[in-house]
Amino acid sequence: ITIIFSFWILFLYKKKVSKLQIACSISLLILNIYLYYQSFIVSGVSVNYQYFLTTFVIVSFWLIPDKVKVVIQDIFIKSFSILLVISLIEYIIFLFFSKGIVLGIVLRDDGQQFYHLLLSLVKTDNLIPRFQFLFDEPGKLGTLCAFLFYLTSDTKYRKQHIVFLIAGIISFSFAFYILM
């Protein structure tokens, strides 16, 4: 299905796509197919469908015009920073006042327990509470915030720049501190 969708995208954008983009897209598809069958042959278990969906999204993004990529990037940065601000407020209120909308308790296979708020996961037995938004690990949020911090160093994104800095610091992510 991924191959069909990817070639459909190639067909739709064939006049607007460079040969390098087409070569990269086809190489990525071939690599994904190889990894899928390699994992099946070695372990007897095939990789999950999400990897193919990710490939489709990456290929689609490569094939769209640069003007559209800039608009998508702008929407992502602004919407993600708004969600982070809401989540930070929710997290701080829950941390200091133990008040919030708890959707449930998430229990991992390794026994870790989290409160699932609207836009936050809060570990119940953390000595140092780490902000992790809805990511399964605070390090993933910290890494993303570090990259977005550098991406938004433009004056156009001054507010978002500060939000990514605060979220990265509160995540206590080693990756964030190293990348900074």
Side-chain angles (χ1 to χ4, degrees), residues 49-109:
Y49 70 91
Q50 66 191 4
Y51 298 108
F52 289 108
L53 182 62
T54 303
T55 302
F56 176 67
V57 170
I58 290 171
V59 169
S60 300
F61 189 74
W62 276 346
L63 298 177
I64 59 178
D66 288 339
K67 291 178 184 177
V68 178
K69 289 179 189 176
V70 170
V71 171
I72 291 171
Q73 174 184 311
D74 187 57
I75 291 170
F76 175 77
I77 288 171
K78 289 178 180 175
S79 60
F80 187 65
S81 66
I82 289 170
L83 289 174
L84 270 179
V85 166
I86 295 169
S87 179
L88 276 167
I89 292 169
E90 175 188 45
Y91 176 76
I92 291 170
I93 289 172
F94 187 78
L95 210 59
F96 290 116
F97 304 111
S98 297
K99 302 280 187 204
I101 301 172
V102 179
L103 300 176
I105 294 180
V106 177
L107 184 63
R108 284 194 186 164
D109 292 337

Side-chain angles (χ1 to χ4, degrees), residues 32-51:
N32 240 338
I33 292 169
Y34 171 75
L35 291 175
Y36 178 80
Y37 287 110
Q38 181 69 17
S39 69
F40 185 73
I41 291 169
V42 171
S43 66
V45 178
S46 60
V47 293
N48 206 339
Y49 70 91
Q50 66 191 4
Y51 298 108

